[in-house]
Amino acid sequence: MTVIPQIPAPVGPVLFKAACPDCRARFELTAGALRLAIGGSRRTTFYSFTCPECGSAVRKPAGERIVELLTGGGVRTLRLHTTA
């Protein structure tokens, strides 16, 4: 008897639920539509996107769990460094 390893099913793109604070629209964004900036503090760690409904630039704080989800989902990440 031969065991054939299962081939994983193709996975679609990861979608993230988001909302715009300006126009109040709710939508889903792909990883390519989001940017994550990781700084030295909570104040300088955030994610950003452009609202597909009204075109507003949106910036929201990103705690540890959000950072985990976004990086795991393939969102491009920028690490911010402080100058001494």
Side-chain angles (χ1 to χ4, degrees), residues 9-62:
V11 177
V14 176
L15 294 175
F16 298 93
K17 291 184 180 186
C20 177
D22 291 339
C23 72
R24 301 256 200 230
R26 294 186 174 280
F27 39 82
E28 292 182 338
L29 297 171
T30 63
L34 293 156
R35 298 292 174 266
L36 174 63
I38 299 176
S41 70
R42 283 203 265 177
R43 203 178 87 223
T44 58
T45 299
F46 60 90
Y47 65 98
S48 62
F49 58 89
T50 300
C51 175
E53 298 292 322
C54 70
S56 290
V58 179
R59 177 176 159 165
K60 295 188 174 187

